[in-house]
């Protein structure tokens, strides 16, 4: 995969397929490979070219341990699109990646054709603020949780009851989470990016066609917070996918991919 200089960092990306380009942005701690299993094949099969990348903070992209902002990450995506000469593009973001995508749609509408925002919000409410603060304090304490315990906590946080109640499926998820590499310094900076100020009023200025996808059982960004974003963005469409937690694009990829492709090929496509 190419590593290119963009916006003052070295950014690792992968370019797959042919057709109109789609740029995909991962959430906190997530790498580009999370899209490879389900979303990239679905989009390339639908005739799209898909660009995935590792956000700053996730090696082999620059880790930037000194810290960075949401606007830095917006600049990274804009810089990649401009370097590749592919704008305007369709953009997909999940969680923190959705924060980046909605800010990019506001700041650089010249680069964005359509935007899909999964598991997003436009403000940090009391519970999400407390969660981010607690996770940051745990990281800063230097305490390392046992891998199995950390895996169980991650499952409870990110997966739906439907998945948690399926013993075979849950076992696979726990094994996957347990094998996850330890967090590096870039994750700490991404946690800070998740402290999103209230941007709902600003999002009334977004003119890019947007689709907001929420997951019914998402504890991290519950559907009512996604609904606020959809209500703020003029003309945005809103969809809730049942039986999914924060990792809904992995728990029910068929439903997520269908919604994305229909949006990208529907009336707002241009």
């Amino acid at each position: 995969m190419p590593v290119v200089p963009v916006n003052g960092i070295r950014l690792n990306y992968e370019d797959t397929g042919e057709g109109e380009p789609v740029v995909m942005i991962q959430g906190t701690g997530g790498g580009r490979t999370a899209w490879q299993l389900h979303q990239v094949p679905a989009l390339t099969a639908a005739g799209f070219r898909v660009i995935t990348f590792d956000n700053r903070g996730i090696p082999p992209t620059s880790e930037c341990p000194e810290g960075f902002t949401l606007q830095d990450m917006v600049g990274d995506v804009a810089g990649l699109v401009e370097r590749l000469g592919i704008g305007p593009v369709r953009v997909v973001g999940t969680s923190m990646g959705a924060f980046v995508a909605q800010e990019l749609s506001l700041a650089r509408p010249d680069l964005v054709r359509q935007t899909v925002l999964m598991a997003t919000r436009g403000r940090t409410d009391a519970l999400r603020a407390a969660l981010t603060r607690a996770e940051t304090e745990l990281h800063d304490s230097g305490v390392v949780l046992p891998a199995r315990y950390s895996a169980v906590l991650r499952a409870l946080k990110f997966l739906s009851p439907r998945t948690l109640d399926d013993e075979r499926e849950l076992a696979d998820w726990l094994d996957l989470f347990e094998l996850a590499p330890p967090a590096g310094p870039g994750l700490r900076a991404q946690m800070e990016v998740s402290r999103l100020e209230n941007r709902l009023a600003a999002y009334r200025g977004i003119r890019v066609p947007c689709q907001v996808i929420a997951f019914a059982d998402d504890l991290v960004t519950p559907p009512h917070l996604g609904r606020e974003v959809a209500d703020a963005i003029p003309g945005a469409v809103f969809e809730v996918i049942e039986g999914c937690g924060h990792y809904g694009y992995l728990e029910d990829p068929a439903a997520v991919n269908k919604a994305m492709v229909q949006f990208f090929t529907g009336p707002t496509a241009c």
Side-chain angles (χ1 to χ4, degrees), residues 20 88 90 112-114 209 263-270:
E20 295 182 356
R90 293 171 170 86
V112 184
R113 189 183 300 271
Q114 292 174 292
F263 178 66
F264 285 157
T265 58
T268 65
C270 55

Side-chain angles (χ1 to χ4, degrees), residues 228-259:
E228 291 180 349
V229 174
D231 288 345
I233 298 173
V237 296
F238 180 70
E239 181 170 348
V240 176
I241 296 181
E242 299 294 329
C244 290
H246 196 63
Y247 285 169
Y249 63 98
L250 297 174
E251 287 189 276
D252 192 350
V256 171
N257 296 343
K258 179 180 178 181

Side-chain angles (χ1 to χ4, degrees), residues 135 145-160 163-164 170-180 219 247:
E135 291 181 331
L145 298 175
R148 198 63 176 179
Y149 184 75
S150 181
V152 171
L153 288 182
R154 190 172 176 183
L156 290 171
K157 178 180 175 183
F158 290 124
L159 301 177
S160 68
T163 299
L164 296 175
L170 175 62
D172 290 340
W173 276 104
L174 289 175
D175 289 343
L176 178 65
F177 290 156
E178 192 170 357
L179 292 172
L219 298 178
Y247 285 169

Side-chain angles (χ1 to χ4, degrees), residues 70-153:
L70 179 58
Q71 293 310 313
D72 290 328
M73 301 185 77
V74 172
D76 296 344
V77 183
L80 180 61
V81 171
E82 290 175 328
R83 183 177 182 86
L84 296 178
I86 56 174
V89 300
R90 293 171 170 86
V91 179
V92 178
T94 188
S95 194
M96 181 193 68
F99 305 165
V100 177
Q102 56 210 29
E103 292 290 339
L104 178 70
S105 300
L106 179 63
R108 294 297 307 272
D110 57 307
L111 296 181
V112 184
R113 189 183 300 271
Q114 292 174 292
T115 304
V116 173
L117 305 167
M118 298 183 202
T120 195
R121 52 184 167 85
R123 62 185 178 93
T124 300
D125 63 0
L127 180 56
R128 260 44 67 173
L131 176 62
T132 300
R133 184 169 60 251
E135 291 181 331
T136 302
E137 290 175 356
L138 176 62
H139 180 278
D140 292 347
S141 73
V143 172
V144 178
L145 298 175
R148 198 63 176 179
Y149 184 75
S150 181
V152 171
L153 288 182

